[in-house]
Structures are given as C-alpha cells and as structure tokens.
Amino acid sequence: MKKGKFFAILFFASTVFMTTAVAAEPVVGNQEEEGPIDLIIRAGKQIWGSIKDGASRAIDDFNDAITSVTSNIPAGEWRFDNGKYSTTILCEKNGNMTVTQTNINGETVYTGTYTASTNKITFNVQKKRTKILFMTQLDKMDEKWEIDYSIPFASNEMKINSKQIPVDGNGYDFSRPTIFTATK
C-alpha cells in the first residue's frame, strides 16, 4: 500500500473515531451559543491534537525500539581459537566490553565500554591487565578501537575485522576478516 493511501485511511479512521468521541462528550456551557460550525472546529482541533500526539508517541516508540535493537546487536561472548591461543570478545548489554587474549602461559585482558551501530563497534579501551604465570601488570589506557562486524541472521557466528585488536601469540592479524563463534 502506498504511503499516501495509508495516511489517508489513517486520517479518515481517526476523524471518524474522534468525531464519534466528541459527539458523545457532554457540551459544557450554553448550547445555544455554540453552533454546528463551532462544534466542527472544536472536533477538528481535538482530532488534530490526537493525531499529532499519537504520531509523536509512535515515532518515539519506533526510535526507542531501533536504538534498543542496534545498541545490543553484538551483545554476547564471542571466541576465536588459533592453536594454543584464543581471543574472546565479551560485549555486555550494559555497555561494558572485554577483549581477552589467552595462551598456556597467561592472558592479556582489555576492558572498557562500547557503542555499536549495525556494523561497527567502537571499543573505548580503559585498562589493560597482563598476567604471565604469577605476575600481573595493570596499565591504564585511553584508546578507541574500531571493530567492523557482521552477524548473519540467526547465526552463532560473528565476522569481525579490526586494525586495533593486537595480533595473538601466533601472529594472527585481526585486520583480516575473522570468524568468532558464540560461546553461550
């Protein structure tokens, strides 16, 4: 259905509904002073106000739904294994994010927050914790990593590529498209 027809039908239906509601509404004041034209004008104002309010609420609800869906698209835990090395990306619904690179000797964990659009994650890295055997080093960071991603519909895989994710212990370069698998 074309947009013009849809809005014409919507306007007609709301006009009929509002006219019925206004006609059922008791008239306050002196009925002799308010003629048919005045009733039509008042009904028209009420109808227009209802249409504007309804459209505004519908647009707000639609925008909230889109924001909710797009901001949580990559939420979950995703893992890539490369021999004895693994890289895990954890995107939490509350906006926190962790990238963990592990091997048999230790791990490096990058933590911070993220925002996401339909195909890009911006990871604001705030801390780096490196643990090798029994030694741990904590460093503050202030970096932004851009991560391109795609998740096929109803898939447990996410394809990512990023120039900022450090290479793993086997030298794997994440600027190449890489398939991560959902862990949960």
Side-chain angles (χ1 to χ4, degrees):
M1 181 182 299
K2 292 186 178 180
K3 287 182 183 179
K5 274 187 174 177
F6 175 75
F7 285 116
I9 291 170
L10 179 65
F11 179 75
F12 176 74
S14 63
T15 303
V16 169
F17 173 75
M18 290 307 297
T19 303
T20 306
V22 170
E25 185 179 297
V27 177
V28 179
N30 187 352
Q31 288 184 353
E32 294 179 66
E33 292 178 14
E34 194 169 275
I37 299 294
D38 296 324
L39 283 173
I40 292 171
I41 291 172
R42 184 165 55 99
K45 287 180 182 179
Q46 287 179 344
I47 291 169
W48 181 247
S50 294
I51 291 171
K52 281 183 11 184
D53 291 344
S56 177
R57 282 193 306 270
I59 289 169
D60 290 344
D61 290 347
F62 179 76
N63 287 338
D64 289 346
I66 292 298
T67 300
S68 172
V69 168
T70 59
S71 65
N72 291 323
I73 286 175
E77 187 172 31
W78 307 87
R79 181 180 173 129
F80 169 75
D81 291 314
N82 183 20
K84 295 180 181 179
Y85 298 88
S86 69
T87 301
T88 304
I89 297 174
L90 172 62
C91 296
E92 298 178 50
K93 289 182 180 181
N94 65 5
N96 292 327
M97 182 170 168
T98 305
V99 174
T100 305
Q101 294 183 313
T102 60
N103 62 40
I104 57 173
N105 295 323
E107 70 180 5
T108 302
V109 180
Y110 301 90
T111 59
T113 59
Y114 78 99
T115 56
S117 66
T118 55
N119 62 355
K120 185 176 293 291
I121 299 170
T122 302
F123 180 30
N124 300 303
V125 186
Q126 298 161 345
K127 295 178 192 172
K128 174 185 173 185
R129 181 178 55 87
T130 306
K131 182 178 180 183
I132 301 174
L133 298 176
F134 300 106
M135 296 181 356
T136 302
Q137 180 177 343
L138 184 63
D139 297 311
K140 286 188 175 187
M141 294 182 68
D142 185 18
E143 291 184 16
K144 283 189 187 222
W145 295 0
E146 298 294 326
I147 302 170
D148 294 322
Y149 78 95
S150 64
I151 302 173
F153 183 71
S155 173
N156 68 340
E157 295 180 339
M158 174 170 62
K159 182 168 70 170
I160 70 114
N161 63 300
S162 173
K163 293 178 183 177
Q164 287 88 16
I165 295 177
V167 298
D168 70 9
N170 280 339
Y172 189 86
D173 183 0
F174 291 97
S175 66
R176 300 184 332 207
T178 307
I179 301 294
F180 280 69
T181 305
T183 61
K184 294 180 183 179

